[in-house]
C-alpha cells in the first residue's frame, strides 16, 4: 500500500465528515433537549409546600443559621424524590403527605402551615415515634431523610449551618469540637 500524503488524508476526512453531516442531523442529536417540555416533578406545588414546611419545622431558623425554607429545601426535596428514589418510596411519600394533611385537618382543624411552631413540633414528634415503631416502611422516615439531604447539600446548609472549607488543609482524623461549634461541611 503506497503512503498517503497529507492532501489525500484531508480530502478523505472531509468527505467522511461531510457525508455524515449531509445524511444526518449531525453528531450531537442525542444531546439535544426538547425545550418545550419541562421535566416533570413528582410532588404537586401543594405537596412541595407542605414538605418544605415539615422540613422547616425539623430544621428551623436559629440565630446561627437559616432554616430549611430559607435554603429552598422544597424544590430540592422534590428533585431528589423524583430523580433518586424508587417508585415504592415515592408512592409512600405522596400517600403519606395526603394522610398527613388529613390528620392535621381532623386533629387541629387547620393545615400544618397555619399551626404554631410548638404544635407542629408535637405533631412531628408523634409521627416520628410512630415511624420508629413501623421501621423503614413508614413515609416519615423518607421525609426526614429527604429534609436532611436537601438542607445539608444546599449552599445555606453547607456554609451557614456547617463550617465549609473549599480547599481544606491536611487531614486530621479526630478534632474535638468546642461547645456550640458547628460540624464540618
Amino acid at each position: 500500500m503506497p503512503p498517503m500524503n497529507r492532501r489525500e488524508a484531508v480530502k478523505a476526512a472531509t468527505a467522511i465528515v461531510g457525508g455524515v453531516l449531509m445524511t444526518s442531523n449531525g453528531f450531537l442529536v442525542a444531546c439535544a433537549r426538547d425545550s418545550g417540555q419541562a421535566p416533570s416533578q413528582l410532588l404537586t406545588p401543594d405537596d412541595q409546600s407542605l414538605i418544605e414546611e415539615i422540613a422547616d419545622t425539623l430544621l428551623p431558623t436559629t440565630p446561627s443559621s437559616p432554616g430549611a425554607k430559607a435554603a429552598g429545601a422544597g424544590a430540592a426535596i422534590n428533585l431528589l424524590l423524583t430523580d433518586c428514589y424508587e417508585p415504592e418510596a415515592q408512592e409512600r411519600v405522596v400517600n403519606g403527605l395526603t394522610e398527613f394533611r388529613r390528620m392535621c385537618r381532623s386533629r387541629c382543624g387547620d393545615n400544618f402551615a397555619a399551626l404554631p411552631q410548638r404544635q407542629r413540633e408535637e405533631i412531628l414528634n408523634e409521627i416520628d415515634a410512630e415511624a420508629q415503631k413501623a421501621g423503614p416502611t413508614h413515609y416519615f422516615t423518607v421525609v426526614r431523610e429527604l429534609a436532611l439531604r436537601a438542607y445539608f447539600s444546599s449552599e445555606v446548609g453547607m456554609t451557614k449551618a456547617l463550617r465549609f472549607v473549599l480547599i481544606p488543609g491536611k487531614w486530621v482524623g479526630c478534632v474535638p469540637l468546642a461547645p456550640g461549634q458547628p460540624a464540618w461541611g
Side-chain angles (χ1 to χ4, degrees):
M1 176 182 220
M4 184 182 278
N5 67 26
R6 190 173 15 180
R7 183 172 294 174
E8 289 176 18
V10 170
K11 280 183 188 178
T14 303
I16 290 171
V17 171
V20 168
L21 291 175
M22 296 284 271
T23 59
S24 71
N25 291 339
F27 288 109
L28 302 175
V29 172
C31 295
R33 286 191 168 193
D34 183 10
S35 61
Q37 189 175 11
S40 64
Q41 296 290 309
L42 185 68
L43 299 177
T44 65
D46 288 340
D47 285 344
Q48 181 174 317
S49 176
L50 174 61
I51 206 164
E52 187 171 62
E53 291 293 338
I54 292 170
D56 199 55
T57 305
L58 294 170
L59 299 158
T61 299
T62 64
S64 62
S65 65
K69 193 183 279 189
I77 288 171
N78 201 353
L79 180 70
L80 285 170
L81 185 63
T82 302
D83 290 350
C84 303
Y85 281 78
E86 296 293 327
E88 298 84 34
Q90 293 173 346
E91 185 177 344
R92 257 188 297 152
V93 170
V94 171
N95 293 340
L97 290 175
T98 304
E99 174 189 325
F100 181 81
R101 192 176 279 116
R102 244 183 280 136
M103 186 267 306
C104 283
R105 286 196 181 122
S106 68
R107 270 186 53 193
C108 306
D110 211 344
N111 64 9
F112 186 73
L115 299 175
Q117 182 71 16
R118 193 175 67 70
Q119 198 170 8
R120 287 178 175 199
E121 290 171 2
E122 288 172 4
I123 289 171
L124 291 184
N125 283 333
E126 289 174 22
I127 291 175
D128 188 43
E130 194 180 291
Q132 287 180 9
K133 288 178 188 171
T137 59
H138 197 275
Y139 77 93
F140 191 71
T141 305
V142 179
V143 169
R144 185 178 52 237
E145 179 182 311
L146 283 165
L148 292 171
R149 286 183 184 207
Y151 180 73
F152 287 109
S153 63
S154 71
E155 182 179 353
V156 168
M158 290 292 291
T159 60
K160 304 284 193 249
L162 300 173
R163 293 183 298 163
F164 178 75
V165 178
L166 181 61
I167 303 172
K170 69 178 185 167
W171 183 80
V172 179
C174 185
V175 177
L177 296 176
Q181 181 181 11
W184 293 96

